[in-house]
Amino acid sequence: MKILLFGVSNVGKSTVGEMLAERIGFHYYDLDDEVKRHLGITLEQFINSGNLKERDQIRGSIINHILQLNENIVFAITPISYPDSIREQIHSEDNLLIELYDTEENIFSRLVFRDENDVLYTDDDYKNEHKEYYLREIRRDQEWYGEVYRSLGIQNRLFMNNDSPSKVTDRIIAEYKLNSRED
């Protein structure tokens, strides 16, 4: 079985995905980490290479590669604007597609930054100084990627309700009966 977690940046895909994989005994993959590993560059370098469509095609080929692995996985998928390269591969009886979503304010509260070396950091003063900008960007991302996810036929949506990653993980396990699977 392959569980694919979709959602906008900072919604909690990586944290929940890693916890979910550990709890159900699956391998965990994060698309950002896989991009860095496959290309041997930082995310900053990747973001500054090519255009968005080209980067999404690269992401798509990495997603397709991971989905071909013969193992049970939880995969946190970075938002993709041009999903044609993954459209067919993600739809399989073996794949469970889930979009995680939350309110703009809750996502804003989890907002973190990455420096040019991919080190995560927080800067609450800066974040709060530009709060309206970030809330607007989060809202736009949710609208845009929500449309992309609908176009991909992702029907499973989980409202995180600002719950802890542990509680969200519990809800996913219960809702999709993941404890009872013998994959």
Side-chain angles (χ1 to χ4, degrees), residues 110-140:
R110 292 188 289 272
L111 186 64
V112 294
F113 303 96
R114 254 182 225 272
D115 69 14
E116 64 278 358
N117 298 312
D118 292 331
V119 176
L120 289 176
Y121 68 94
T122 57
D123 185 341
D124 289 337
D125 290 338
Y126 179 84
K127 180 174 87 169
N128 288 321
E129 182 178 326
H130 300 281
K131 182 176 182 174
E132 290 308 312
Y133 166 79
Y134 285 114
L135 287 173
R136 187 172 49 252
E137 290 301 304
I138 292 166
R139 190 173 315 109
R140 286 180 182 162

Side-chain angles (χ1 to χ4, degrees), residues 36-57:
K36 293 188 305 186
R37 189 175 71 74
H38 281 261
L39 301 178
I41 61 175
T42 66
L43 284 179
E44 181 78 16
Q45 291 168 318
F46 180 66
I47 297 294
N48 291 314
S49 68
N51 61 43
L52 179 58
K53 188 171 188 172
E54 292 167 336
R55 289 191 307 272
D56 279 355
Q57 288 171 339

Side-chain angles (χ1 to χ4, degrees), residues 9-21:
S9 297
N10 290 288
V11 76
K13 299 178 302 294
S14 297
T15 304
V16 169
E18 194 167 9
M19 189 174 289
L20 177 62

